[in-house]
Amino acid sequence: MVETHIYRMMEQEWGSSFMRRAIAIARHGMTAGNGGPFGAVVVQNGIIVGEGWNQVLSLSDPTAHGEMMAIRDACRRLGTHVLEGCDLFTTGEPCPMCLGAIYWSRIRSVYYGFGVDRAASIGFDDAFFYQQLHLSPEARSVPCRQLLAQEAETLVLEYVAMPNRMSY
Amino acid sequence: MVETHIYRMMEQEWGSSFMRRAIAIARHGMTAGNGGPFGAVVVQNGIIVGEGWNQVLSLSDPTAHGEMMAIRDACRRLGTHVLEGCDLFTTGEPCPMCLGAIYWSRIRSVYYGFGVDRAASIGFDDAFFYQQLHLSPEARSVPCRQLLAQEAETLVLEYVAMPNRMSY
């Protein structure tokens, strides 16, 4: 019990500096008009290896969320598409897009400052998108239909037959 | 009934050329070793305004899925972060990350060639990630914890108080 408590305290102390850096980055980006109050850092072995902030407006890129930019920055710096053993510190709880990127990058754990409900209260759609993803594809507001299944299957079979294909 | 049938046939005819382009792009990328058999195009008013293919391996970027690249390409060409009225044609059913990006970009509808189960059968984790997103945050394999909630709330309040903030 005591050990767990001490461990939690140490973890919070350790993580606080990284979260404060994420908040500082977010503040810088939002005051510059780059986007919302979202910043993130990727940490590996106690060192920041990637940073990013929301640049949806400044880059005209709907995928330029803080977490995405931080993950891409870390991958660029480390020369890999895999961030195993890394932790992500982000001012706002990840949206489904960013959570998907977190899974693809194999990040180990996530720390966030404010939740998706708070983001919703200031006009962001993260919570609505989570609701949408929890619905069956037919019930979602963006319809998703299959087309040319046979030609797509041919492509898949060609991929499977490739001798030197790398998995990821 | 007959009208619906004719409409569906016309829609398939219309969409087939775009899906074939997505398949061709995917084939080119996968044979070059850029990544898996995934390509996508964004269509606006019957014209392709964005293209992309999976470049996870060639760019060392876990976010470089075909759909993401196509959305970013379309936004770059059109100079906007909003793709309202656009449709996306993609060889593979979107993963949660790409579906999130589709929602953020306000794309109208999606057509895909093969489903996430088929992608799973050749080693991709899309279906597993959907299962993960359907779980409560505490039950997911990547833990997500709150940290420095008060300092993050201060940031949110600063954002709310900004006089000229743009919503998106």
Side-chain angles (χ1 to χ4, degrees), chain B residues 31 36 63 67 76 120 123 143:
Chain B
T31 50
T63 75
E67 302 94 313
R76 208 163 23 227

Side-chain angles (χ1 to χ4, degrees), chain A residues 88-115:
Chain A
L88 182 86
F89 293 79
T90 170
T91 56
E93 192 179 352
C95 76
M97 174 178 72
C98 293
L99 191 59
I102 287 160
Y103 270 94
W104 282 116
S105 68
R106 316 295 166 180
I107 277 174
R108 178 173 61 182
S109 73
V110 174
Y111 296 86
Y112 67 91
F114 58 89

